[in-house]
């Protein structure tokens, strides 16, 4: 086959366009900091980068669940702490009420304070977090978990567990139900104390002091169990954050450009492009002169 001047020119133009496209891709890489513009640029690393990116997004979703769960748990612990502080005052009241030198009127005043504390604890038991009742089990909306009629406290929620998904195949229970709070006997002992004070019965009040201490211990144990959930969530949070840091590093290795190397390559190709442009220009002129002759 005879190689004509036009074939040479066409070949040079094709090479020139190819070099121009390569320069454009390198310009884009330098501007964006990414060396993979499309799947065809690097199919293997594009696939790796896509997997890393989707895993990071999934972990971010789990981290959001962990953060909201930590808020729920910390709020629960704060409420139980507040109830425990109320119980410390209740014990002081019981000690005063058991004193034989205290008259009936004095016990009536103490009974009114106990009644007020019961209302306070019921109010704490009806606390909500982000619009959901904390101690209602899965009945987090609607009727308040606890009601008090002046004689007894009624629980209106359930004992179901609230789960939060914090891993691909892992969920954590984050709640304390009202049944668990009621199991500390906080409401039973307080209403018994109120009745004993109303009945002006110092012996019965004295008998309740040990039960009040037990309620305090029960509340501390309950809060300790919630603290264990908090520690578990914090560990999961740290693991997810560490995993995402590693994944971000892998993602960077798969798709990020080495800026210094990219600029060097661009400069080399740009020089070659200018030289090829000059050669092609001369070839086109020569081909034109040959045609005119």
């Amino acid at each position: 086959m005879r190689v004509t001047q036009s074939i040479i020119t066409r070949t040079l133009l094709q090479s020139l366009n190819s070099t121009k496209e390569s320069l454009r891709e390198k310009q884009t890489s330098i501007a964006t900091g990414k060396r993979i513009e499309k799947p065809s640029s690097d199919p293997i690393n594009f696939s790796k980068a896509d997997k890393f990116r989707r895993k990071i997004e999934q972990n971010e979703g789990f981290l959001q669940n962990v953060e909201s769960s930590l808020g729920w748990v910390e709020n629960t612990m704060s409420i139980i702490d507040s109830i425990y502080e109320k119980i410390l005052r209740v014990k002081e009241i019981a000690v005063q009420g058991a004193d034989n030198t205290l008259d009936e009127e004095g016990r009536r005043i103490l009974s009114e304070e106990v009644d007020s504390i019961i209302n306070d604890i019921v109010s704490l038991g009806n606390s909500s977090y982000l619009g959901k009742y904390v101690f209602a089990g899965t009945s987090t909306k609607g009727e308040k978990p606890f009601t008090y009629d002046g004689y007894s406290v009624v629980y209106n929620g359930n004992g179901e567990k609230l789960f939060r998904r914090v891993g691909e195949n892992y969920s954590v229970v984050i709640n304390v139900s009202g049944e668990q709070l009621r199991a500390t006997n906080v409401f039973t002992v307080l209403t018994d104390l109120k009745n004993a004070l109303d009945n002006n019965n110092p012996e019965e009040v004295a008998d309740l002091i040990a039960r009040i201490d037990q309620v305090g211990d029960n509340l501390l144990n309950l809060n300790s169990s919630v603290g264990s959930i908090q520690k578990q969530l914090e560990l999961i949070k740290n693991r997810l954050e560490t995993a995402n840091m590693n994944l971000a590093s892998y993602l960077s290795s798969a798709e990020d450009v080495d800026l210094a190397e990219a600029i060097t390559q661009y400069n080399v190709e740009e020089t070659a492009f200018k030289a090829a442009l000059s050669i092609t220009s001369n070839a086109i002129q020569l081909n034109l002169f040959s045609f005119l002759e």
Side-chain angles (χ1 to χ4, degrees):
M1 177 181 174
R2 183 184 174 189
V3 179
T4 64
Q5 188 65 35
S6 62
I7 292 175
I8 294 173
T9 302
R10 187 163 55 250
T11 302
L12 287 171
L13 285 172
Q14 289 173 347
S15 176
L16 197 64
N17 285 332
S18 176
T19 304
K20 183 179 179 181
E21 177 62 20
S22 177
L23 280 172
R24 188 198 66 77
E25 289 180 356
K26 285 181 171 55
Q27 279 182 322
T28 302
S29 293
I30 292 169
T32 62
K34 306 296 180 185
R35 60 188 172 89
I36 305 175
E37 184 181 357
K38 50 191 175 182
S40 59
S41 302
D42 188 342
I44 294 176
N45 278 316
F46 184 88
S47 177
K48 286 182 180 179
D50 185 57
K51 288 180 181 178
F52 294 146
R53 195 177 293 106
R54 282 189 282 112
K55 186 62 178 176
I56 289 172
E57 290 174 357
Q58 183 185 52
N59 285 348
E60 287 295 338
F62 292 144
L63 276 168
Q64 288 179 7
N65 286 348
V66 170
E67 290 287 359
S68 65
S69 297
L70 278 169
W72 181 286
V73 167
E74 288 163 2
N75 189 59
T76 302
M77 293 176 69
S78 176
I79 294 168
I80 296 174
D81 278 339
S82 297
I83 295 174
Y84 179 76
E85 291 297 322
K86 299 285 184 184
I87 294 303
L88 295 180
R89 174 55 190 156
V90 167
K91 183 177 179 180
E92 293 174 356
I93 292 172
V95 170
Q96 293 176 44
D99 188 343
N100 287 320
T101 63
L102 189 68
D103 60 14
E104 183 176 355
E105 177 62 17
R107 290 193 179 88
R108 185 190 65 78
I109 293 172
L110 291 177
S111 173
E112 289 178 354
E113 185 176 353
V114 171
D115 186 72
S116 177
I117 290 173
I118 294 172
N119 276 301
D120 289 344
I121 293 177
V122 166
S123 180
L124 287 167
N126 290 332
S127 298
S128 61
Y129 180 75
L130 299 179
K132 296 181 178 180
Y133 291 122
V134 174
F135 295 101
T138 55
S139 301
T140 55
K141 294 185 177 181
E143 187 178 13
K144 291 182 178 181
F146 295 99
T147 52
Y148 175 53
D149 60 5
Y151 300 97
S152 62
V153 176
V154 176
Y155 178 56
N156 306 303
N158 59 49
E160 299 297 321
K161 297 176 180 178
L162 285 178
F163 291 90
R164 288 292 180 272
R165 190 164 178 245
V166 294
E168 197 162 353
N169 298 298
Y170 190 62
S171 296
V172 174
V173 177
I174 65 167
N175 72 313
V176 169
S177 72
E179 288 186 354
Q180 289 172 281
L181 183 59
R182 192 170 56 176
T184 64
N185 291 322
V186 59
F187 297 117
T188 301
V189 171
L190 262 64
T191 51
D192 286 350
L193 177 61
K194 178 180 178 298
N195 292 334
L197 290 168
D198 283 338
N199 294 332
N200 193 31
N201 190 330
E203 291 79 12
E204 189 177 350
V205 172
D207 290 341
L208 284 165
I209 293 175
R211 291 176 62 193
I212 293 169
D213 285 336
Q214 186 60 56
V215 168
D217 290 342
N218 292 342
L219 287 168
L220 290 176
N221 290 335
L222 184 60
N223 226 11
S224 177
S225 68
V226 182
S228 297
I229 298 173
Q230 181 189 35
K231 289 179 181 177
Q232 184 182 11
L233 288 168
E234 287 172 346
L235 282 172
I236 293 169
K237 178 183 176 181
N238 290 336
R239 288 172 186 166
L240 286 169
E241 288 176 341
T242 300
N244 268 7
M245 286 177 61
N246 292 333
L247 286 166
S249 177
Y250 301 152
L251 177 61
S252 176
S253 298
E255 69 175 4
D256 287 357
V257 69
D258 183 328
L259 196 57
E261 182 182 349
I263 292 173
T264 299
Q265 289 179 352
Y266 177 81
N267 289 335
V268 170
E269 288 196 20
E270 185 182 37
T271 300
F273 176 74
K274 288 178 180 178
L277 190 62
S278 177
I279 293 170
T280 303
S281 176
N282 291 334
I284 291 173
Q285 289 179 15
L286 181 60
N287 193 32
L288 180 60
F289 290 149
S290 297
F291 174 76
L292 292 174
E293 290 176 355

